[in-house]
């Protein structure tokens, strides 16, 4: 909020002000992604607290794949946000994010139909899935904001 107040008082062109608002929004989204990653670390620690909370091997393997996919997505994001980022890179980033979001939804539905329903392990797994979905949503929002628009 404070950044936007300074922008409105600075007498910048509408284009420059819009670009700064976009960067401020992206910064906020990235901070929230950092918060989500911290939540994932807490969930990982909780999994080791008791046998009841242990995620299934299938869930752990899937979430490992998702972690690798997220790393690739963050790499794509870094390229897109670089000074040489292009609209094509933004589109590729959105496609990558959408693929991850669809995989998470499919996994969620499968979990809800599993025999583990209602168990502490499933609850922890669903919490992790929810956090990862939030990360994908924030990444998608960043890819929508184009600081390089002409």
């Amino acid at each position: 909020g404070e950044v936007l107040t300074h922008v409105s008082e600075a007498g910048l062109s509408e284009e420059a002000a819009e670009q700064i608002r976009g960067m401020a929004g992206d910064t906020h989204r990235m901070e929230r992604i950092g918060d989500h990653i911290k939540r994932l670390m807490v969930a990982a620690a909780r999994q080791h607290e008791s046998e009841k909370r242990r995620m299934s091997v299938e869930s752990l393997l899937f979430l490992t794949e998702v972690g690798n996919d997220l790393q690739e997505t963050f790499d794509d994001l870094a390229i897109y946000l670089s000074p040489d980022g292009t609209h094509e890179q933004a589109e590729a980033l959105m496609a990558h994010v959408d693929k991850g979001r669809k995989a998470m939804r499919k996994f969620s539905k499968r979990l809800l139909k599993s025999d583990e329903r209602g168990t502490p392990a499933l609850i922890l797994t669903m919490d992790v899935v929810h956090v990862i979905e939030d990360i994908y949503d924030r990444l998608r929002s960043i890819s929508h904001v184009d600081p390089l628009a002409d």
Side-chain angles (χ1 to χ4, degrees), residues 2-20:
E2 189 176 319
V3 169
L4 298 179
T5 302
H6 288 298
V7 167
S8 65
E9 295 172 354
L12 298 172
S13 70
E14 185 60 35
E15 183 179 333
E18 185 65 32
Q19 187 175 18
I20 291 171

Side-chain angles (χ1 to χ4, degrees), residues 7-8 10 12 55 73 96 121 124 126 131 136 140 148:
V7 167
S8 65
L12 298 172
M55 293 182 200
T73 305
H96 203 154
L124 178 63
M126 290 302 292
V131 171
Y136 275 121
R140 191 166 208 298
L148 305 173

Side-chain angles (χ1 to χ4, degrees), residues 75-99:
D75 292 344
D76 290 348
L77 176 66
I79 292 167
Y80 166 62
L81 293 177
S82 74
D84 298 325
T86 65
H87 292 285
E88 290 79 21
Q89 289 165 332
E91 290 171 5
L93 175 62
M94 284 199 312
H96 203 154
V97 167
D98 286 342
K99 178 183 163 203

Side-chain angles (χ1 to χ4, degrees), residues 61-135:
L61 290 173
F62 176 77
L63 293 172
T64 299
E65 284 180 34
V66 169
N68 293 334
D69 183 68
L70 276 172
Q71 179 60 52
E72 290 176 22
T73 305
F74 283 117
D75 292 344
D76 290 348
L77 176 66
I79 292 167
Y80 166 62
L81 293 177
S82 74
D84 298 325
T86 65
H87 292 285
E88 290 79 21
Q89 289 165 332
E91 290 171 5
L93 175 62
M94 284 199 312
H96 203 154
V97 167
D98 286 342
K99 178 183 163 203
R101 291 168 79 208
K102 285 177 187 172
M104 294 308 295
R105 277 195 297 275
K106 185 177 178 182
F107 183 67
S108 295
K109 288 177 184 177
R110 192 167 65 233
L111 280 175
L112 291 174
K113 293 177 183 176
S114 76
D115 294 336
E116 296 179 51
R117 194 175 24 215
T119 66
L122 181 67
I123 293 167
L124 178 63
T125 305
M126 290 302 292
D127 185 44
V128 168
V129 167
H130 174 74
V131 171
I132 292 171
E133 287 174 336
D134 281 350
I135 290 171

